[in-house]
Amino acid sequence: MATTYTEIMIKGEPVLIKGFVIGFLEGRGDKGDTFVEEERIEEDSPLEMILHFFTGHPHLVPVIAETGMVESLCKALQNRKEEIPSEVMSVRDVTGAFFEFKYKAFSEEVGKSLQAFFSDLPEGVEMKAGYKPEEKITPSGKGVEAYAPLHDYELKGSGVVRGGVKEVYRYYCRAGLFEVIELGKLTLEYGTAQA
């Protein structure tokens, strides 16, 4: 059975909420996935269980967790309200995630790497229709400086990648390792809100 995820929107201090959630998982001995957007941690990080995204609002912290642990996490937050001032504002199912990207490369070697990266998508990740990279080879551009308007090789493309939350997040992190890829914001897709 596939793992499902839920977003818990928590009002509180982001650093305290993050520390509490990591401590909660460690105390339970959970060995899942943790991703902190602004740190772009490696896939094999030892901190692996929840998905944690900051919205930019200093007092709203969305924590994405495996659905099976949501009730106990919310209860633990309630039990420690004196030590960690917080309030669960909403709980809703996360059905997936997506991000937009675009790139432009002037090296055939980098171009081949990009084509391989975007044609060999991991399980649980798909490219939305419309992705058609454009490759242009201009022999008369050979030897021209890197920042000149004419290049002997050019590859450009843009698209949207979507799929499961964990899978898309890991792919997003890997895409970020390419200097020539401009990534859009990782966006979550939602199902129903819970009471």
Side-chain angles (χ1 to χ4, degrees):
M1 186 173 161
T3 303
T4 59
Y5 294 91
T6 300
E7 177 193 71
I8 311 164
M9 188 66 75
I10 304 168
K11 185 176 181 181
E13 182 60 42
V15 174
L16 293 177
I17 300 299
K18 177 182 173 184
F20 179 85
V21 172
I22 291 171
F24 172 81
L25 296 172
E26 190 63 30
R28 286 172 46 118
D30 280 325
K31 302 276 189 248
D33 293 303
T34 298
F35 303 91
V36 182
E37 186 176 17
E38 66 279 346
E39 291 179 13
R40 285 218 177 134
I41 61 176
E42 298 296 329
E43 281 188 47
D44 58 354
S45 169
L47 297 174
E48 298 185 277
M49 178 47 177
I50 56 146
L51 292 169
H52 175 138
F53 299 90
F54 290 106
T55 59
H57 189 289
H59 300 294
L60 286 179
V61 183
V63 174
I64 312 304
E66 288 186 10
T67 301
M69 64 166 286
V70 170
E71 187 177 333
S72 56
L73 178 56
C74 290
K75 188 174 182 178
L77 275 166
Q78 182 63 32
N79 291 342
R80 294 294 180 172
K81 210 169 186 162
E82 301 258 337
E83 296 92 344
I84 309 288
S86 63
E87 181 182 354
V88 174
M89 304 302 288
S90 66
V91 178
R92 59 184 172 169
D93 296 332
V94 177
T95 59
F98 69 91
F99 66 89
E100 294 181 15
F101 68 89
K102 63 182 177 181
Y103 60 79
K104 191 181 280 189
F106 301 106
S107 155
E108 192 168 355
E109 183 182 337
V110 172
K112 287 188 186 318
S113 295
L114 287 167
Q115 288 178 333
F117 180 73
F118 285 112
S119 64
D120 186 24
L121 298 173
E123 190 174 330
V125 175
E126 65 182 20
M127 183 74 68
K128 287 182 88 172
Y131 173 65
K132 290 184 174 70
E134 297 174 29
E135 188 175 40
K136 189 163 93 177
I137 298 172
T138 311
S140 62
K142 193 138 184 90
V144 176
E145 294 294 322
Y147 296 101
L150 185 61
H151 303 278
D152 65 321
Y153 179 86
E154 182 179 331
L155 176 72
K156 61 182 178 177
S158 62
V160 178
V161 172
R162 69 169 309 279
V165 175
K166 179 173 73 172
E167 295 84 359
V168 169
Y169 186 83
R170 285 185 168 169
Y171 195 69
Y172 183 81
C173 290
R174 287 176 51 210
L177 298 175
F178 286 87
E179 289 182 14
V180 298
I181 298 177
E182 188 179 319
L183 293 172
K185 186 177 179 202
L186 185 66
T187 304
L188 300 178
E189 298 173 308
Y190 299 100
T192 57
Q194 300 175 19

